[in-house]
Short mmCIF file of all heavy atoms in Angstrom, two decimals:
data_model
loop_
_atom_site.label_atom_id
_atom_site.label_comp_id
_atom_site.label_asym_id
_atom_site.label_seq_id
_atom_site.Cartn_x
_atom_site.Cartn_y
_atom_site.Cartn_z
N LEU A 23 -11.38 -17.27 2.04
CA LEU A 23 -10.70 -17.19 0.75
C LEU A 23 -11.63 -16.62 -0.32
O LEU A 23 -11.22 -15.78 -1.14
CB LEU A 23 -10.19 -18.56 0.32
CG LEU A 23 -9.02 -19.11 1.12
CD1 LEU A 23 -8.80 -20.58 0.79
CD2 LEU A 23 -7.77 -18.30 0.85
N ALA A 24 -12.88 -17.06 -0.32
CA ALA A 24 -13.85 -16.53 -1.28
C ALA A 24 -14.08 -15.04 -1.05
O ALA A 24 -14.15 -14.26 -2.01
CB ALA A 24 -15.16 -17.30 -1.18
N ALA A 25 -14.20 -14.64 0.20
CA ALA A 25 -14.40 -13.22 0.50
C ALA A 25 -13.19 -12.39 0.09
O ALA A 25 -13.33 -11.30 -0.48
CB ALA A 25 -14.67 -13.04 2.00
N PHE A 26 -11.99 -12.90 0.33
CA PHE A 26 -10.77 -12.19 -0.08
C PHE A 26 -10.70 -12.10 -1.60
O PHE A 26 -10.31 -11.06 -2.15
CB PHE A 26 -9.53 -12.89 0.47
CG PHE A 26 -8.25 -12.20 0.11
CD1 PHE A 26 -7.85 -11.06 0.78
CD2 PHE A 26 -7.44 -12.70 -0.89
CE1 PHE A 26 -6.67 -10.42 0.45
CE2 PHE A 26 -6.24 -12.08 -1.22
CZ PHE A 26 -5.87 -10.94 -0.55
N ALA A 27 -11.07 -13.16 -2.29
CA ALA A 27 -11.05 -13.15 -3.76
C ALA A 27 -12.03 -12.12 -4.31
O ALA A 27 -11.72 -11.45 -5.30
CB ALA A 27 -11.37 -14.54 -4.30
N LYS A 28 -13.17 -11.97 -3.66
CA LYS A 28 -14.13 -10.95 -4.10
C LYS A 28 -13.62 -9.55 -3.77
O LYS A 28 -13.78 -8.62 -4.56
CB LYS A 28 -15.48 -11.18 -3.43
CG LYS A 28 -16.20 -12.39 -3.95
CD LYS A 28 -17.48 -12.62 -3.20
CE LYS A 28 -18.11 -13.92 -3.65
NZ LYS A 28 -19.28 -14.27 -2.86
N TYR A 29 -13.00 -9.41 -2.62
CA TYR A 29 -12.52 -8.11 -2.15
C TYR A 29 -11.32 -7.61 -2.94
O TYR A 29 -11.24 -6.45 -3.32
CB TYR A 29 -12.20 -8.21 -0.66
CG TYR A 29 -11.51 -7.02 -0.07
CD1 TYR A 29 -12.07 -5.75 -0.14
CD2 TYR A 29 -10.29 -7.16 0.58
CE1 TYR A 29 -11.43 -4.66 0.41
CE2 TYR A 29 -9.65 -6.06 1.14
CZ TYR A 29 -10.23 -4.82 1.05
OH TYR A 29 -9.60 -3.75 1.59
N ARG A 30 -10.37 -8.49 -3.24
CA ARG A 30 -9.13 -8.09 -3.90
C ARG A 30 -8.98 -8.70 -5.30
O ARG A 30 -7.89 -8.74 -5.85
CB ARG A 30 -7.93 -8.49 -3.05
CG ARG A 30 -7.86 -7.81 -1.71
CD ARG A 30 -7.70 -6.32 -1.83
NE ARG A 30 -6.41 -6.03 -2.43
CZ ARG A 30 -6.07 -4.88 -2.98
NH1 ARG A 30 -6.92 -3.90 -3.03
NH2 ARG A 30 -4.88 -4.72 -3.49
N GLY A 31 -10.08 -9.18 -5.88
CA GLY A 31 -10.03 -9.83 -7.18
C GLY A 31 -9.46 -8.96 -8.28
O GLY A 31 -8.71 -9.44 -9.13
N ASP A 32 -9.80 -7.67 -8.28
CA ASP A 32 -9.27 -6.77 -9.30
C ASP A 32 -7.75 -6.69 -9.23
O ASP A 32 -7.06 -6.76 -10.25
CB ASP A 32 -9.86 -5.37 -9.15
CG ASP A 32 -11.32 -5.31 -9.56
OD1 ASP A 32 -11.75 -6.18 -10.35
OD2 ASP A 32 -12.03 -4.40 -9.10
N ALA A 33 -7.23 -6.54 -8.03
CA ALA A 33 -5.77 -6.45 -7.86
C ALA A 33 -5.10 -7.76 -8.22
O ALA A 33 -4.02 -7.78 -8.81
CB ALA A 33 -5.43 -6.05 -6.43
N LEU A 34 -5.75 -8.88 -7.88
CA LEU A 34 -5.17 -10.19 -8.19
C LEU A 34 -5.13 -10.43 -9.70
O LEU A 34 -4.20 -11.08 -10.19
CB LEU A 34 -5.96 -11.29 -7.49
CG LEU A 34 -5.82 -11.33 -5.97
CD1 LEU A 34 -6.89 -12.25 -5.37
CD2 LEU A 34 -4.44 -11.79 -5.57
N ARG A 35 -6.11 -9.93 -10.42
CA ARG A 35 -6.11 -10.08 -11.88
C ARG A 35 -5.13 -9.13 -12.54
O ARG A 35 -4.53 -9.44 -13.56
CB ARG A 35 -7.51 -9.83 -12.43
CG ARG A 35 -8.44 -10.99 -12.19
CD ARG A 35 -9.73 -10.82 -12.92
NE ARG A 35 -9.47 -10.85 -14.37
CZ ARG A 35 -10.27 -10.30 -15.26
NH1 ARG A 35 -11.34 -9.66 -14.88
NH2 ARG A 35 -10.00 -10.39 -16.54
N ALA A 36 -4.97 -7.94 -11.97
CA ALA A 36 -4.13 -6.91 -12.59
C ALA A 36 -2.63 -7.16 -12.38
O ALA A 36 -1.82 -6.79 -13.22
CB ALA A 36 -4.50 -5.54 -12.05
N ASP A 37 -2.27 -7.78 -11.27
CA ASP A 37 -0.86 -7.96 -10.92
C ASP A 37 -0.50 -9.45 -10.96
O ASP A 37 -0.87 -10.20 -10.05
CB ASP A 37 -0.60 -7.38 -9.54
CG ASP A 37 0.87 -7.42 -9.13
OD1 ASP A 37 1.70 -7.86 -9.95
OD2 ASP A 37 1.16 -7.00 -7.99
N PRO A 38 0.21 -9.89 -11.99
CA PRO A 38 0.55 -11.32 -12.09
C PRO A 38 1.37 -11.84 -10.91
O PRO A 38 1.20 -12.98 -10.48
CB PRO A 38 1.37 -11.41 -13.38
CG PRO A 38 1.01 -10.20 -14.16
CD PRO A 38 0.67 -9.14 -13.16
N ALA A 39 2.24 -11.00 -10.35
CA ALA A 39 3.05 -11.44 -9.20
C ALA A 39 2.16 -11.67 -7.98
O ALA A 39 2.35 -12.66 -7.25
CB ALA A 39 4.13 -10.42 -8.89
N LEU A 40 1.21 -10.79 -7.75
CA LEU A 40 0.29 -10.95 -6.62
C LEU A 40 -0.57 -12.20 -6.81
O LEU A 40 -0.80 -12.95 -5.87
CB LEU A 40 -0.59 -9.71 -6.48
CG LEU A 40 -1.55 -9.69 -5.30
CD1 LEU A 40 -0.80 -9.77 -3.97
CD2 LEU A 40 -2.41 -8.43 -5.34
N ARG A 41 -1.00 -12.44 -8.04
CA ARG A 41 -1.79 -13.65 -8.32
C ARG A 41 -0.97 -14.91 -8.06
O ARG A 41 -1.47 -15.87 -7.47
CB ARG A 41 -2.31 -13.64 -9.74
CG ARG A 41 -3.18 -14.85 -10.06
CD ARG A 41 -3.59 -14.86 -11.51
NE ARG A 41 -4.24 -16.10 -11.86
CZ ARG A 41 -5.54 -16.32 -11.78
NH1 ARG A 41 -6.34 -15.35 -11.39
NH2 ARG A 41 -6.04 -17.48 -12.12
N ARG A 42 0.30 -14.92 -8.50
CA ARG A 42 1.17 -16.08 -8.25
C ARG A 42 1.33 -16.33 -6.76
O ARG A 42 1.30 -17.48 -6.31
CB ARG A 42 2.53 -15.87 -8.90
CG ARG A 42 2.58 -16.25 -10.35
CD ARG A 42 4.00 -16.33 -10.87
NE ARG A 42 4.74 -15.08 -10.71
CZ ARG A 42 4.73 -14.07 -11.57
NH1 ARG A 42 4.02 -14.16 -12.66
NH2 ARG A 42 5.45 -12.99 -11.34
N MET A 43 1.51 -15.27 -5.98
CA MET A 43 1.64 -15.43 -4.53
C MET A 43 0.35 -15.98 -3.93
O MET A 43 0.39 -16.82 -3.02
CB MET A 43 2.01 -14.10 -3.87
CG MET A 43 3.43 -13.69 -4.11
SD MET A 43 3.92 -12.26 -3.15
CE MET A 43 3.00 -10.97 -3.98
N PHE A 44 -0.80 -15.51 -4.42
CA PHE A 44 -2.08 -16.00 -3.91
C PHE A 44 -2.28 -17.47 -4.27
O PHE A 44 -2.73 -18.26 -3.43
CB PHE A 44 -3.23 -15.14 -4.44
CG PHE A 44 -4.57 -15.49 -3.86
CD1 PHE A 44 -4.79 -15.40 -2.50
CD2 PHE A 44 -5.61 -15.88 -4.67
CE1 PHE A 44 -6.01 -15.72 -1.95
CE2 PHE A 44 -6.84 -16.20 -4.14
CZ PHE A 44 -7.05 -16.12 -2.78
N VAL A 45 -1.92 -17.85 -5.50
CA VAL A 45 -2.04 -19.26 -5.90
C VAL A 45 -1.11 -20.12 -5.05
O VAL A 45 -1.51 -21.21 -4.60
CB VAL A 45 -1.75 -19.42 -7.41
CG1 VAL A 45 -1.63 -20.89 -7.79
CG2 VAL A 45 -2.84 -18.75 -8.23
N LEU A 46 0.10 -19.65 -4.81
CA LEU A 46 1.02 -20.39 -3.94
C LEU A 46 0.44 -20.52 -2.53
O LEU A 46 0.54 -21.58 -1.90
CB LEU A 46 2.38 -19.69 -3.88
CG LEU A 46 3.43 -20.34 -2.99
CD1 LEU A 46 3.73 -21.76 -3.45
CD2 LEU A 46 4.69 -19.50 -2.95
N HIS A 47 -0.20 -19.46 -2.05
CA HIS A 47 -0.84 -19.50 -0.73
C HIS A 47 -1.96 -20.55 -0.71
O HIS A 47 -2.08 -21.32 0.24
CB HIS A 47 -1.39 -18.11 -0.41
CG HIS A 47 -2.10 -18.03 0.90
ND1 HIS A 47 -1.44 -18.16 2.10
CD2 HIS A 47 -3.40 -17.85 1.19
CE1 HIS A 47 -2.32 -18.04 3.09
NE2 HIS A 47 -3.51 -17.86 2.55
N LEU A 48 -2.75 -20.60 -1.78
CA LEU A 48 -3.82 -21.59 -1.87
C LEU A 48 -3.25 -23.01 -1.89
O LEU A 48 -3.77 -23.91 -1.21
CB LEU A 48 -4.66 -21.36 -3.13
CG LEU A 48 -5.50 -20.09 -3.16
CD1 LEU A 48 -6.09 -19.90 -4.54
CD2 LEU A 48 -6.58 -20.12 -2.11
N VAL A 49 -2.18 -23.21 -2.65
CA VAL A 49 -1.55 -24.54 -2.73
C VAL A 49 -0.96 -24.93 -1.37
O VAL A 49 -1.05 -26.09 -0.95
CB VAL A 49 -0.50 -24.59 -3.85
CG1 VAL A 49 0.31 -25.87 -3.80
CG2 VAL A 49 -1.18 -24.43 -5.21
N ASN A 50 -0.37 -23.98 -0.68
CA ASN A 50 0.15 -24.27 0.66
C ASN A 50 -0.96 -24.67 1.62
O ASN A 50 -0.79 -25.57 2.45
CB ASN A 50 0.91 -23.06 1.23
CG ASN A 50 2.29 -22.93 0.66
OD1 ASN A 50 2.89 -23.91 0.23
ND2 ASN A 50 2.81 -21.71 0.64
N GLN A 51 -2.11 -24.01 1.51
CA GLN A 51 -3.23 -24.38 2.37
C GLN A 51 -3.72 -25.78 2.03
O GLN A 51 -4.12 -26.53 2.92
CB GLN A 51 -4.36 -23.35 2.26
CG GLN A 51 -3.95 -22.04 2.89
CD GLN A 51 -5.12 -21.20 3.28
OE1 GLN A 51 -6.28 -21.55 3.11
NE2 GLN A 51 -4.83 -20.05 3.85
N TRP A 52 -3.71 -26.14 0.74
CA TRP A 52 -4.09 -27.50 0.36
C TRP A 52 -3.04 -28.50 0.89
O TRP A 52 -3.39 -29.56 1.40
CB TRP A 52 -4.19 -27.61 -1.16
CG TRP A 52 -4.28 -29.03 -1.62
CD1 TRP A 52 -5.38 -29.83 -1.59
CD2 TRP A 52 -3.21 -29.81 -2.14
NE1 TRP A 52 -5.06 -31.08 -2.08
CE2 TRP A 52 -3.72 -31.09 -2.42
CE3 TRP A 52 -1.87 -29.57 -2.40
CZ2 TRP A 52 -2.95 -32.10 -2.95
CZ3 TRP A 52 -1.09 -30.58 -2.93
CH2 TRP A 52 -1.64 -31.83 -3.21
N ASP A 53 -1.76 -28.14 0.77
CA ASP A 53 -0.68 -29.02 1.21
C ASP A 53 -0.76 -29.33 2.70
O ASP A 53 -0.44 -30.43 3.14
CB ASP A 53 0.67 -28.37 0.88
CG ASP A 53 1.84 -29.34 0.97
OD1 ASP A 53 1.62 -30.54 0.73
OD2 ASP A 53 2.95 -28.88 1.28
N PHE A 54 -1.22 -28.36 3.48
CA PHE A 54 -1.37 -28.57 4.93
C PHE A 54 -2.75 -29.11 5.31
O PHE A 54 -3.06 -29.23 6.50
CB PHE A 54 -1.09 -27.28 5.69
CG PHE A 54 0.38 -26.94 5.75
CD1 PHE A 54 0.93 -26.02 4.89
CD2 PHE A 54 1.21 -27.59 6.65
CE1 PHE A 54 2.28 -25.72 4.94
CE2 PHE A 54 2.56 -27.31 6.70
CZ PHE A 54 3.10 -26.36 5.83
N GLY A 55 -3.58 -29.44 4.33
CA GLY A 55 -4.86 -30.06 4.60
C GLY A 55 -5.95 -29.12 5.07
O GLY A 55 -6.95 -29.56 5.63
N VAL A 56 -5.78 -27.83 4.82
CA VAL A 56 -6.78 -26.85 5.28
C VAL A 56 -7.93 -26.74 4.29
O VAL A 56 -9.09 -26.60 4.68
CB VAL A 56 -6.13 -25.47 5.53
CG1 VAL A 56 -7.16 -24.45 5.95
CG2 VAL A 56 -5.04 -25.59 6.58
N VAL A 57 -7.63 -26.81 2.99
CA VAL A 57 -8.67 -26.71 1.96
C VAL A 57 -8.54 -27.87 0.99
O VAL A 57 -7.48 -28.48 0.85
CB VAL A 57 -8.59 -25.37 1.20
CG1 VAL A 57 -8.82 -24.20 2.12
CG2 VAL A 57 -7.29 -25.23 0.45
N GLU A 58 -9.64 -28.12 0.29
CA GLU A 58 -9.68 -29.15 -0.74
C GLU A 58 -9.38 -28.52 -2.10
O GLU A 58 -9.52 -27.30 -2.27
CB GLU A 58 -11.08 -29.79 -0.77
CG GLU A 58 -11.42 -30.54 0.50
CD GLU A 58 -10.56 -31.77 0.72
OE1 GLU A 58 -10.25 -32.47 -0.27
OE2 GLU A 58 -10.17 -32.03 1.87
N PRO A 59 -9.00 -29.32 -3.09
CA PRO A 59 -8.71 -28.76 -4.42
C PRO A 59 -9.88 -28.00 -5.04
O PRO A 59 -9.68 -27.03 -5.76
CB PRO A 59 -8.35 -29.99 -5.25
CG PRO A 59 -7.88 -30.99 -4.27
CD PRO A 59 -8.67 -30.73 -3.02
N ASP A 60 -11.11 -28.45 -4.79
CA ASP A 60 -12.26 -27.74 -5.36
C ASP A 60 -12.42 -26.34 -4.78
O ASP A 60 -12.95 -25.44 -5.44
CB ASP A 60 -13.55 -28.55 -5.20
CG ASP A 60 -13.89 -28.87 -3.77
OD1 ASP A 60 -12.97 -28.91 -2.94
OD2 ASP A 60 -15.08 -29.10 -3.47
N VAL A 61 -11.93 -26.11 -3.56
CA VAL A 61 -11.95 -24.76 -2.97
C VAL A 61 -10.98 -23.86 -3.72
O VAL A 61 -11.29 -22.70 -4.00
CB VAL A 61 -11.61 -24.81 -1.46
CG1 VAL A 61 -11.43 -23.42 -0.88
CG2 VAL A 61 -12.67 -25.58 -0.70
N ILE A 62 -9.82 -24.40 -4.07
CA ILE A 62 -8.84 -23.63 -4.84
C ILE A 62 -9.44 -23.26 -6.19
O ILE A 62 -9.37 -22.10 -6.63
CB ILE A 62 -7.54 -24.42 -5.02
CG1 ILE A 62 -6.86 -24.64 -3.67
CG2 ILE A 62 -6.59 -23.71 -5.99
CD1 ILE A 62 -5.68 -25.58 -3.71
N ASP A 63 -10.06 -24.21 -6.85
CA ASP A 63 -10.68 -23.96 -8.15
C ASP A 63 -11.77 -22.91 -8.04
O ASP A 63 -11.82 -21.96 -8.84
CB ASP A 63 -11.23 -25.27 -8.71
CG ASP A 63 -11.78 -25.13 -10.10
OD1 ASP A 63 -11.11 -24.49 -10.94
OD2 ASP A 63 -12.88 -25.66 -10.36
N ALA A 64 -12.64 -23.04 -7.05
CA ALA A 64 -13.74 -22.07 -6.88
C ALA A 64 -13.21 -20.68 -6.57
O ALA A 64 -13.73 -19.68 -7.08
CB ALA A 64 -14.68 -22.55 -5.78
N THR A 65 -12.16 -20.60 -5.75
CA THR A 65 -11.59 -19.30 -5.39
C THR A 65 -10.98 -18.63 -6.60
O THR A 65 -11.18 -17.42 -6.82
CB THR A 65 -10.53 -19.48 -4.28
OG1 THR A 65 -11.14 -20.12 -3.16
CG2 THR A 65 -9.97 -18.14 -3.85
N LEU A 66 -10.25 -19.37 -7.41
CA LEU A 66 -9.65 -18.78 -8.61
C LEU A 66 -10.70 -18.41 -9.65
O LEU A 66 -10.52 -17.44 -10.39
CB LEU A 66 -8.61 -19.72 -9.19
CG LEU A 66 -7.36 -19.89 -8.32
CD1 LEU A 66 -6.42 -20.90 -8.93
CD2 LEU A 66 -6.66 -18.55 -8.11
N LYS A 67 -11.80 -19.13 -9.69
CA LYS A 67 -12.90 -18.75 -10.58
C LYS A 67 -13.51 -17.42 -10.14
O LYS A 67 -13.91 -16.61 -10.98
CB LYS A 67 -13.97 -19.83 -10.62
CG LYS A 67 -13.58 -21.02 -11.46
CD LYS A 67 -14.66 -22.07 -11.47
CE LYS A 67 -14.22 -23.27 -12.30
NZ LYS A 67 -15.21 -24.35 -12.27
N ILE A 68 -13.59 -17.19 -8.83
CA ILE A 68 -14.08 -15.91 -8.32
C ILE A 68 -13.16 -14.78 -8.75
O ILE A 68 -13.61 -13.73 -9.21
CB ILE A 68 -14.23 -15.95 -6.79
CG1 ILE A 68 -15.36 -16.88 -6.38
CG2 ILE A 68 -14.47 -14.54 -6.23
CD1 ILE A 68 -15.41 -17.16 -4.89
#
Side-chain angles (χ1 to χ4, degrees):
L23 289 168
F26 181 77
K28 289 177 186 174
Y29 171 57
R30 297 297 295 163
D32 288 337
L34 290 167
R35 284 189 65 204
D37 184 3
L40 183 61
R41 182 184 172 90
R42 276 193 302 274
M43 286 188 289
F44 186 60
V45 170
L46 179 60
H47 179 68
L48 292 171
V49 171
N50 282 334
Q51 291 202 1
W52 168 78
D53 195 29
F54 285 100
V56 178
V57 298
E58 296 293 322
D60 58 335
V61 172
I62 295 172
D63 185 45
T65 303
L66 292 176
K67 284 180 181 176
I68 292 170

